[in-house]
Amino acid sequence: MNEPTHPEPQRLAKRLAAQLPCSRRDAEHYIAGGWVRVDGAVVEEPMARVRDGQVVALDPKARLEPLVPVTLVWHKPAGQALPDESPLPDELAARWFVAGARFKGDRSGVRPLKAHGHKLLPVAPLDVLASGLMVFTQNPGVARKITDASSPLEHEWLVEVQDDPELDDGARREAVLQSLGKALFFDGWAVPTARASWQSERRLRLAIKGTLPGQVAHLAERAGLRLASVRRQRLGRIGLDGLPSGQWRYLAAHERF
């Protein structure tokens, strides 16, 4: 007597396309858009496998629309290393940009999707010891805007320096500002100078257009300062604006760097 055969699981996109009915491409858009549930749970992978007995349902509010590239703003914690490869590996994106770490003040109106963690380009990366504003984008145009050397964006840095009795002297503090504002040359080319000001006894604000990796640390060393911490507060017109360390948000459609 022959054993009963069980049909092989089929791709979710194929099942949804036959069930609606619609084209396989449209089914994939619905699934990647987070509009499809399997046995009550949202599944966003068109290649996921489902069995005949599982219930596949399309959200009544589903809209057939292409996925729009997103840009994420993240408050990188000090000590957090960034991978050397670009784009950001999907598994790291899934770990860093979880729903629980999304800024409660996010007003973008974007529905989070797994697809938003795919092929994120880290733009103007911070070194491991620095903290502050980091940008990840799926939009090559945003990446070009931030890295365009012909029209560099201004980076605002908040620098905490270690205790130094000499900094209690007004003349020494003024000399620090003058040193930070002096011209800097790299490979024979002049690098945009820093506009510096004291914010408190041990905190400096630096504004530099098109900051190069290591430039802030080099300027501080040249001025005879020992750094306690470095935080990027703003990039162009986009700032941290209360974004806590380790949290992230979407860049809203109206925001521009």
Side-chain angles (χ1 to χ4, degrees), residues 23-219:
S23 70
R24 189 80 61 86
R25 182 176 178 81
D26 285 352
E28 290 174 351
H29 278 304
Y30 280 132
I31 297 165
W35 299 112
V36 176
R37 293 179 180 270
V38 177
D39 291 341
V42 174
V43 177
E44 299 180 36
E45 297 82 17
M47 71 291 297
R49 297 280 175 170
V50 293
R51 296 187 178 276
D52 284 352
Q54 291 185 283
V55 177
V56 175
L58 181 68
D59 191 311
K61 299 178 183 178
R63 298 190 301 272
L64 191 58
E65 54 191 12
L67 289 174
V68 177
V70 298
T71 297
L72 308 183
V73 177
W74 181 48
H75 186 158
K76 175 191 169 300
Q80 177 69 68
L82 295 172
D84 292 331
E85 63 261 44
S86 180
L88 185 72
D90 287 11
E91 59 270 20
L92 265 185
R95 190 188 314 162
W96 289 350
F97 307 129
V98 295
R102 185 179 181 183
F103 182 39
K104 291 183 179 178
D106 188 329
R107 298 291 182 264
S108 66
V110 178
R111 288 188 312 117
L113 299 171
K114 286 186 178 180
H116 294 162
H118 185 53
K119 292 187 177 179
L120 284 169
L121 302 172
V123 190
L126 295 169
D127 64 41
V128 64
L129 296 179
S131 67
L133 191 148
M134 261 293 303
V135 176
F136 295 87
T137 186
Q138 295 175 327
N139 189 333
V142 171
R144 285 194 298 270
K145 171 67 176 177
I146 295 175
T147 58
D148 184 3
S150 65
S151 181
L153 296 179
E154 186 172 78
H155 299 234
E156 180 182 345
W157 303 88
L158 293 182
V159 177
E160 298 280 352
V161 300
Q162 297 183 23
D163 286 337
D164 182 347
E166 292 186 4
L167 291 176
D168 294 333
D169 179 67
R172 166 64 177 142
R173 293 169 67 82
E174 182 59 32
V176 166
L177 296 182
Q178 291 186 13
S179 174
L180 293 172
K182 283 183 181 178
L184 182 67
F185 294 89
F186 182 76
D187 283 349
W189 294 88
V191 174
T193 56
R195 293 186 292 109
S197 60
W198 287 101
Q199 301 295 292
S200 66
E201 292 298 314
R202 295 294 181 265
R203 174 182 287 180
L204 284 156
R205 173 189 175 273
L206 275 67
I208 312 171
K209 288 193 173 183
T211 310
L212 294 174
Q215 183 175 349
V216 172
H218 176 78
L219 289 173

Side-chain angles (χ1 to χ4, degrees), residues 243-257:
L243 183 65
S245 178
Q247 293 195 14
W248 63 277
R249 68 175 181 85
Y250 289 104
L251 189 73
H254 69 275
E255 292 184 291
R256 297 290 183 272
F257 285 94

